[in-house]
Amino acid sequence: MRVYVVWICSFLVAFAVVQAADVANPAAKSAAPAKPAASQLVDAPISRDAVLNFLNCSNKVFIEGKKGKPAAAIDYLSVAGMLKNWMNFRFLEVDTEIDRSWYDRVYKMLDYLAKAKQFLELAKMNGRVDTDECKKVLANFNEVSKRFPELLEKPTPVEQKKLEKLREEKRKWDLEKKRESARKSGSIKEND
């Protein structure tokens, strides 16, 4: 009976985490999220400081844990989810002056850490932490955990030419939004 309860709990936890992360295999390498279509972009501003502070505070939780307990897979999934949402921001690179490739690398690391942590948690629940596979995943998890703060220290800046082009796009976008808003309020006629 006890084996069935452990198995069912393991299955439910695995199913919930897999559904939350939209992943199938904790050891598989993940692809970076695709750049969203223009219709999916969010018009929300974000600052470089907000991004870096959030990620550094999250990394502190990963290292120190919460309330004396080590960080769980859900903690990594939450941070990865937040980063994925930011990657939908229309002018993310302009607002933060950090290249999208850096966000992709950070996301890949967080995604791997979440999947590895999930695998390790399930192995612990099933009493299978002494397997070669578990030891390998733990070693990789520790290695990526060490590299993560290094990545946060040196965000890749957006190339100057690209940044200028993106700033011009943002300026045009803002101007168009102001015109649209003025049309709606009736202060500008349709022909203007």
Side-chain angles (χ1 to χ4, degrees):
M1 176 72 176
R2 184 172 178 218
V3 173
Y4 290 115
V5 171
V6 170
W7 182 82
I8 290 171
C9 289
S10 298
F11 177 75
L12 291 175
V13 168
F15 181 75
V17 173
V18 167
Q19 289 298 316
D22 194 28
V23 296
N25 182 359
K29 291 186 179 183
S30 63
K35 189 172 180 178
S39 62
Q40 296 173 326
L41 294 174
V42 178
D43 297 329
I46 190 163
S47 72
R48 177 187 186 96
D49 289 340
V51 168
L52 295 176
N53 285 338
F54 175 77
L55 291 172
N56 284 315
C57 288
S58 297
N59 188 52
K60 186 176 179 182
V61 169
F62 298 157
I63 293 168
E64 297 175 3
K66 293 192 313 190
K67 299 180 183 177
K69 295 181 180 179
I74 195 72
D75 297 320
Y76 292 92
L77 288 171
S78 298
V79 176
M82 178 64 82
L83 189 66
K84 192 172 184 178
N85 286 338
W86 287 339
M87 291 170 73
N88 290 329
F89 285 14
R90 183 177 301 276
F91 298 109
L92 177 67
E93 290 177 299
V94 174
D95 294 340
T96 63
E97 296 184 4
I98 299 173
D99 194 79
R100 184 169 290 277
S101 64
W102 181 82
Y103 288 101
D104 290 337
R105 287 192 311 272
V106 171
Y107 178 80
K108 283 180 184 178
M109 276 191 169
L110 286 168
D111 189 50
Y112 172 78
L113 290 168
K115 290 174 184 178
K117 190 68 171 181
Q118 173 193 4
F119 178 83
L120 295 169
E121 288 172 356
L122 290 173
K124 184 176 180 181
M125 285 176 56
N126 291 325
R128 297 189 177 168
V129 292
D130 292 331
T131 65
D132 289 338
E133 184 181 16
C134 190
K135 290 175 184 176
K136 183 179 176 183
V137 171
L138 180 59
N140 289 339
F141 176 84
N142 289 335
E143 178 61 32
V144 173
S145 293
K146 289 177 188 173
R147 289 193 338 241
F148 186 69
E150 295 168 6
L151 183 59
L152 298 182
E153 286 177 15
K154 298 177 186 173
T156 306
V158 179
E159 185 182 290
Q160 194 59 36
K161 257 186 168 177
K162 181 180 178 182
L163 186 59
E164 289 171 12
K165 180 182 173 190
L166 292 171
R167 283 182 178 152
E168 181 61 22
E169 285 179 25
K170 183 176 181 180
R171 188 190 66 73
K172 287 178 182 177
W173 175 260
D174 287 341
L175 186 60
E176 183 59 35
K177 285 296 216 181
K178 286 179 185 176
R179 285 182 182 158
E180 187 178 310
S181 177
R183 280 188 200 118
K184 287 181 180 177
S185 69
S187 59
I188 295 181
K189 297 178 183 176
E190 288 295 321
N191 295 340
D192 291 347

